[in-house]
Amino acid sequence: MTIPFDIRSGHPGARPPMPPAARRVLIAIVAAGLFVFVVIPWLVSFATDWLWFRQLGFTTVYVTSLTWRIVLFFVGGLASYAVLAGNLRLAARRTGKSPTLYTQRASRELVDVSGLILRLSWIVPLVIAFVIGVYMAANWMTYVQAFHGARVGTADPLFGRDIGFYMFRLPALSDVLGIAVALVVLSLAVAGAVYVLRGQIPLGAHHGPADSGAEVHLATLAAVLALLFAAQLWIVNTSELLYSTTGPLVGASYTDVHVMLPGIRASAIAALVAIGLVIYGAVRGRALRWLAIAAILYAAVGIVGRGILPLAVQKLVVVPNELDRETPYLRYHIAATRAAWGLDKVQTRSLNGEATLTMADIKANAPTINNVRLWERDLLQQTFKQLQEIRTYYDFVSVNDDRYMINGDYRQVHLSVRELNTASLPTQTFINNRLTFTHGMGITMAPVNQVTDEGLPVLFIKDLPPASNVNITLTQPQIYYGQAAEQYVFVDTKQKEFDYPLGDKNIYASYTGSGGVPVGSFLRRALYAMQFGSLQIFFSDDIAGAARIMYHRNIMDRASTALPFLSFDGEPYIVVTDDGKLKWILDGYTASSGYPYSKSVQDIDYMRNSVKVTIDAFTGALTAYVVEPNDPVIRTYENIFPGIFHPMSAMPADIKRHMRYPGQLFRIQAALQATYHMDDPDAFYHREDQWQIPEPDDQRGEATPYMRHMIMRLPGEQKEEFIYMTPFTPRGKDNLAAWMVARMDGAHYGELRVYRFPTQSLVYGPKQIVNRINQDTDISRQVTLWDQRGSEVIRGELLVIPIEESLIYVQPLFLRASGGSIPEMKRVVVASGDRVVMGETLDQALDAMFGGGQAVGISGQGVDTAAAAVAPNATAAPPSATVASLVAQAQSHYDRAIAAQRAGDWAAYGKEIDSLGAVLTQLRSRRP
């Protein structure tokens, strides 16, 4: 007896049919729900994205991306549906029998599942096809790169293919073959299940022979699967050996080349032999039996050739003689890693390491000394927040280094943008957040090495409206696009925009730029009201006419949305152009995980800083410049998105002058250079000369130690320049082995250079200098005195300053009142060779270290040592002061210090002691 199967309950039984009217109502409800909750939101998102990309001038990116996604979704989905549905329906209709299965009842009643299979024959393929279509659409860049991939011009050492094949085409081939294998396996599974349910493929010998048609169908699918396996093995698996980690390196090793590669190829041949066996079995009417034999043969070849033999050879042959066997492959690995990470272009210079610095050397390197970065960014940010935020709704998100010509001198400065923080507005309303408070205002600029008498930073640009006391002025200080601009705002509305506070009143203004998408019409207000879920956008009377909406205002989000195929360095920086405008610069990276034999860092084995992106802080205009035109990845993107990249020659000179070498890339390159400067396989294998970047100073809690921007004159060069620098110490030791720089100025931009000290000389490293500073009795006594007053002593960054062929170390000391938030610079420590000295200024410390009576002043001119030694808050004696007058001043300061001590006024006590020290220093300078 055959019982119908109730698909709703999963149990045998009659199922009453749904009335046609109810079915139509259900379909209408589902369709309406899809339209309201899926189609309309998608259309709204599509329209707003299109408007944004069009306003930005990047419609090529949007159209190309959308086109490829749609094409891949339908091509992948339809092909998958055709394969799965075709095989399932072919299995279901091959004979006139009704698909049945036995229940678990003792009577072994048959259950009719023909209705269930008929429904599943289109539901299951549809679901799987949808998933595959979505997957292929999401990975559209993989496929488009395969079509447009550029040649690298370098061949891999094993197969002789261009590296571009592995970077651009192999991922797509692997993807397509993997999807095809999955579809055939699923087809085998569902078709086999149908044949078993029909009884055409018996599960036991007593059920009779298998149906010949079913056998041929399954055998054909198995043959196709074997063919796909052979293609995967021959193309993909052999290529993936170039990323193997079997040996002591990344890339094909001795075992991979001599055992695993032949094993893979043998498996591919076994798969082709299996196809022949399956066809032979089908012809003989015993397809399933020969299919089993073919599967056993294929598995046996794979187990032996790709499992047992490689393991045995690696353990018994290679490991005991590893260096001898792996030497040629180590050479491949070293060369590939250096090429993939740009280390093959690193220039190496040798230093004698025995130079003894004099005051003449210090004066000859005045531009370096005049730009020693005493102020560090985190402490300066705290100071800016206290002194320059002006109002609670302003914020300084970060502080960056740059260089400018300041009144004729090449100076390193710190810059920080005063951005609007709407979360701190006292009243949170739609008008306040979206129409009135729309932008930040100006920047704060400070030289890296100057302090006031109070120990605070000197400010070149400050206050509201921004005021400058140097030759840099701001003509367009409004910040509509920045690091803190997360929310959408409306400009050019009927509501005046808050510009900046001025005393007890506020100054308002209207937007005069071209940024934002026009939103004054009824349709666009409705569109953006749906997009952002705000009815106030639709009903506001202020949003009309020429009103514009600004969104994607965060510069990182803006760049990532416009150029989604690039990754960006986490430290964007602001530039003041010659005409006083503010523009952000972002470093865009191209990367790949497909460079053969290369060392991988966070799943990336190739990286270039090929793109510099500028974003106007006022209009949001975004421009992408190609700075690495030979990079195959950026050439591929130029093929895919024609017209969106501009050549380096088109970059304005006032932007080009401020380009920086990106920090993230330099940190990776420096970490790799510590090992991969050894290009001899023997030395590399034994790690004979491995370096390391010095560990962070535990007292400072630094995450990226001893990597600093600075202005200096490199050894052998004639002119000072802006560079990024890091030192190296030998692995497991603290002395200095070398230092590495990335050059940034002019034609030298992007050059990497390493300066090596001779191995036989001892040059103190940062950790050793820190220990010497901590052991110095004068410094310890001063720090202890400050601590006893209840103040917090903050040790600044230990700066490694190359001078000629030697080094000096500089560390500023800051003092912060207990519970306070404004650090003040009080002392500067200088170390060179075996000596450590401390002065109230850098000039004084240098004079104490190298002597000569004349310290190097801020402008590079010599200044009197006595004047340089005047402590903060102290009154300097005139240069003509007699010894008697200085003694009188010393006695006066001492008496006032004692009086303050007895009164418990420790602030006054410290001030008088500082002044006393300054006078005593002048007395020492007047000794015969």
Side-chain angles (χ1 to χ4, degrees):
M1 180 176 65
T2 302
I3 302 174
F5 186 80
D6 185 354
I7 192 173
R8 295 171 303 169
S9 63
H11 298 286
R15 186 192 68 174
M18 179 181 291
R23 183 182 291 112
R24 286 194 295 270
V25 170
L26 178 61
I27 292 174
I29 292 174
V30 171
L34 288 174
F35 184 77
V36 171
F37 296 106
V38 177
V39 176
I40 289 180
W42 185 87
L43 290 174
V44 168
S45 179
F46 166 79
T48 54
D49 286 346
W50 167 258
L51 291 171
W52 185 84
F53 275 96
R54 188 178 67 173
Q55 189 275 330
L56 197 64
F58 277 70
T59 52
T60 300
V61 175
Y62 187 64
V63 170
T64 302
S65 169
L66 186 64
T67 301
W68 274 93
R69 289 173 191 268
I70 293 173
V71 169
L72 286 169
F73 175 79
F74 283 105
V75 169
L78 290 174
S80 300
Y81 182 82
V83 171
L84 290 171
N87 280 285
L88 186 55
R89 288 177 178 253
L90 179 64
R93 297 176 180 179
R94 183 166 290 277
T95 68
K97 298 180 181 179
S98 297
T100 57
L101 57 81
Y102 287 109
T103 67
Q104 299 302 315
R105 301 176 185 176
S107 60
R108 300 183 62 81
E109 294 174 330
L110 294 176
V111 178
D112 183 1
V113 294
S114 56
L116 172 63
I117 291 180
L118 184 61
R119 289 173 176 81
L120 292 179
S121 66
W122 67 269
I123 293 176
V124 171
L126 187 63
V127 172
I128 295 175
F130 178 80
V131 171
I132 292 176
V134 170
Y135 168 80
M136 294 185 69
N139 291 275
W140 65 276
M141 184 56 76
T142 299
Y143 302 101
V144 72
Q145 281 184 332
F147 281 93
H148 296 281
R151 287 180 56 85
V152 176
T154 303
D156 80 88
L158 188 58
F159 303 110
R161 301 189 189 108
D162 186 82
I163 299 298
F165 168 81
Y166 302 96
M167 296 176 68
F168 306 120
R169 293 173 177 80
L170 182 62
L173 283 172
S174 178
D175 235 21
V176 170
L177 287 172
I179 291 171
V181 167
L183 289 173
V184 174
V185 169
L186 287 171
S187 297
L188 267 172
V190 296
V194 170
Y195 289 132
V196 169
L197 291 175
R198 286 178 177 276
Q200 293 172 295
I201 300 295
L203 297 180
H206 62 281
H207 288 143
D211 179 80
S212 60
E215 281 192 313
V216 170
H217 184 194
L218 295 181
T220 302
L221 288 174
V224 173
L225 182 61
L227 182 62
L228 292 173
F229 279 161
Q232 271 189 323
L233 289 163
W234 200 267
I235 299 174
V236 178
N237 291 40
T238 55
S239 299
E240 288 178 346
L241 288 178
L242 298 176
Y243 313 102
S244 169
T245 55
T246 301
L249 50 94
V250 175
S253 63
Y254 180 90
T255 301
D256 295 320
V257 173
H258 292 87
V259 183
M260 183 64 79
L261 179 58
I264 292 174
R265 287 174 173 169
S267 291
I269 293 171
L272 296 177
V273 172
I275 295 174
L277 293 176
V278 170
I279 294 174
Y280 174 79
V283 172
R284 297 292 302 270
R286 295 186 175 182
L288 294 184
R289 176 176 295 180
W290 284 97
L291 175 60
I293 294 173
I296 293 172
L297 171 66
Y298 175 77
V301 172
I303 291 171
V304 174
R306 291 185 286 153
I308 297 174
L309 281 179
L311 181 62
V313 170
Q314 181 69 23
K315 295 293 185 183
L316 302 178
V317 178
V318 176
V319 172
N321 310 280
E322 191 169 51
L323 179 58
D324 180 61
R325 303 286 186 180
E326 303 288 11
T327 292
Y329 310 107
L330 282 169
R331 189 173 286 110
Y332 298 155
H333 170 69
I334 296 169
T337 300
R338 289 170 60 86
W341 290 100
L343 302 179
D344 55 336
K345 296 180 176 62
V346 174
Q347 306 168 12
T348 302
R349 302 283 189 273
S350 295
L351 304 173
N352 59 40
E354 299 176 357
T356 301
L357 294 177
T358 65
M359 181 57 78
D361 296 319
I362 299 300
K363 292 179 179 179
N365 288 270
T368 300
I369 299 301
N370 295 339
N371 288 284
V372 171
R373 199 181 86 174
L374 299 178
W375 280 104
E376 54 190 276
R377 294 189 291 188
D378 59 340
L379 295 180
L380 196 61
Q381 184 180 14
Q382 297 173 27
T383 304
F384 284 171
K385 284 177 176 290
Q386 294 299 315
L387 302 180
Q388 283 293 304
E389 282 186 354
I390 312 297
R391 293 289 189 271
T392 58
Y393 40 77
Y394 287 124
D395 193 11
F396 290 102
V397 178
S398 64
V399 177
N400 291 297
D401 295 273
D402 207 342
R403 69 282 198 197
Y404 286 82
M405 292 299 296
I406 304 292
N407 299 334
D409 293 322
Y410 194 49
R411 299 293 300 275
Q412 183 175 347
V413 296
H414 287 303
L415 298 93
S416 189
V417 179
R418 186 183 292 102
E419 298 201 51
L420 183 70
N421 181 4
T422 55
S424 299
L425 290 174
T427 305
Q428 298 287 324
T429 64
F430 177 79
I431 291 179
N432 267 0
N433 290 5
R434 310 297 184 185
L435 298 139
T436 303
F437 291 89
T438 58
H439 58 273
M441 173 58 68
I443 64 171
T444 297
M445 178 187 289
V448 297
N449 63 329
Q450 285 184 259
V451 296
T452 65
D453 290 342
E454 292 78 22
L456 299 174
V458 171
L459 300 180
F460 285 164
I461 300 177
K462 60 181 179 178
D463 299 339
L464 288 173
S468 172
N469 53 31
V470 293
N471 60 317
I472 299 174
T473 57
L474 299 182
T475 59
Q476 204 173 68
Q478 291 83 2
I479 310 293
Y480 284 89
Y481 298 85
Q483 293 176 281
E486 301 289 349
Q487 299 181 343
Y488 65 90
V489 297
F490 296 89
V491 296
D492 210 2
T493 65
K494 296 179 181 179
Q495 182 74 32
K496 290 291 186 179
E497 296 177 48
F498 170 80
D499 205 28
Y500 59 88
L502 186 63
D504 295 332
K505 62 179 183 178
N506 294 330
I507 304 300
Y508 292 86
S510 296
Y511 184 70
T512 58
S514 59
V517 177
V519 72
S521 68
F522 172 85
L523 180 60
R524 291 200 178 180
R525 288 205 314 273
L527 194 66
Y528 282 101
M530 288 187 285
Q531 175 66 18
F532 293 110
S534 174
L535 289 175
Q536 292 166 308
I537 296 175
F538 183 75
F539 289 108
S540 174
D541 294 332
D542 293 319
I543 304 173
R548 293 170 171 265
I549 181 172
M550 294 180 174
Y551 52 109
H552 293 304
R553 295 196 303 133
N554 179 283
I555 55 173
M556 296 294 288
D557 171 60
R558 192 172 186 81
S560 298
T561 303
L563 302 166
F565 42 87
L566 298 179
S567 59
F568 291 92
D569 193 272
E571 295 185 8
Y573 50 101
I574 198 84
V575 168
V576 183
T577 63
D578 289 348
D579 57 358
K581 296 180 180 180
L582 295 172
K583 293 192 177 182
W584 294 95
I585 299 181
L586 291 82
D587 289 293
Y589 294 118
T590 56
S592 173
S593 57
Y595 201 102
Y597 271 104
S598 175
K599 170 72 174 178
S600 177
V601 178
Q602 297 178 351
D603 297 325
I604 294 174
D605 49 35
Y606 173 93
M607 178 181 281
R608 291 290 186 274
N609 172 219
S610 293
V611 180
K612 300 287 185 181
V613 172
T614 64
I615 298 178
D616 193 301
F618 187 70
T619 66
L622 187 151
T623 309
Y625 299 96
V626 175
V627 295
E628 286 270 2
N630 295 324
D631 171 28
V633 181
I634 198 61
R635 285 192 284 121
T636 299
Y637 291 148
E638 286 180 304
N639 293 336
I640 299 170
F641 308 105
I644 68 167
F645 293 105
H646 301 272
M648 186 68 175
S649 59
M651 179 182 285
D654 55 354
I655 296 294
K656 193 179 298 184
R657 286 197 300 268
H658 296 282
M659 289 197 313
R660 293 190 338 196
Y661 198 83
Q664 180 182 343
L665 178 59
F666 183 70
R667 286 189 287 271
I668 295 175
Q669 289 176 317
L672 291 172
Q673 180 68 17
T675 300
Y676 288 88
H677 70 276
M678 299 178 288
D679 53 8
D680 177 68
D682 189 270
F684 182 89
Y685 180 82
H686 293 293
R687 300 294 197 267
E688 294 176 359
D689 189 27
Q690 188 172 9
W691 301 335
Q692 63 185 15
I693 299 173
E695 295 180 358
D697 185 352
D698 293 336
Q699 296 176 334
R700 291 281 308 140
E702 295 168 339
T704 54
Y706 312 119
M707 287 191 177
R708 304 292 178 256
H709 293 98
M710 64 177 67
I711 289 178
M712 65 168 292
R713 180 167 61 85
L714 294 173
E717 300 294 334
Q718 301 301 315
K719 185 180 179 182
E720 68 275 8
E721 57 188 283
F722 193 59
I723 56 103
Y724 204 9
M725 181 267 192
T726 186
F728 293 112
T729 61
R731 184 183 60 173
K733 296 183 179 180
D734 296 327
N735 60 288
L736 214 60
W739 47 281
M740 180 177 180
V741 299
R743 306 177 73 180
M744 305 190 199
D745 286 353
H748 296 295
Y749 174 84
E751 291 181 7
L752 299 177
R753 186 175 290 183
V754 170
Y755 293 89
R756 299 189 58 163
F757 293 104
T759 55
Q760 68 273 13
S761 65
L762 174 62
V763 180
Y764 289 121
K767 188 174 182 179
Q768 293 169 319
I769 295 298
V770 168
N771 291 336
R772 294 181 66 84
I773 293 173
N774 292 338
Q775 294 166 3
D776 186 275
T777 55
D778 292 335
I779 297 174
S780 298
R781 183 166 50 249
Q782 181 64 69
V783 170
T784 301
L785 176 62
W786 279 330
D787 285 336
Q788 289 175 349
R789 298 185 203 163
S791 299
E792 177 189 3
V793 178
I794 304 172
R795 296 178 182 270
E797 297 171 293
L798 182 67
L799 306 172
V800 185
I801 312 295
I803 302 290
E804 300 296 341
E805 295 204 0
S806 187
L807 298 168
I808 63 172
Y809 287 90
V810 176
Q811 184 178 48
L813 299 181
F814 298 86
L815 197 62
R816 183 164 54 196
S818 180
S821 56
I822 302 180
E824 300 175 2
M825 188 185 302
K826 290 299 184 183
R827 295 289 188 275
V828 179
V829 178
V830 173
S832 178
D834 294 326
R835 296 187 61 202
V836 176
V837 299
M838 181 174 67
E840 294 169 3
T841 64
L842 176 60
D843 290 339
Q844 180 185 345
L846 289 171
D847 187 65
M849 174 66 70
F850 300 107
Q854 292 287 320
V856 178
I858 295 302
S859 65
Q861 303 296 321
V863 298
D864 188 75
T865 306
V870 176
N873 300 320
T875 301
S880 60
T882 64
V883 172
S885 66
L886 291 174
V887 170
Q889 289 183 48
Q891 184 64 48
S892 175
H893 287 307
Y894 175 77
D895 292 340
R896 286 198 292 268
I898 296 300
Q901 181 186 39
R902 290 172 179 170
D905 187 351
W906 294 108
Y909 173 79
K911 177 179 176 181
E912 296 301 333
I913 289 296
D914 288 341
S915 300
L916 173 61
V919 175
L920 293 176
T921 299
Q922 295 182 63
L923 282 170
R924 283 197 299 270
S925 70
R926 295 178 182 275
R927 289 183 302 180

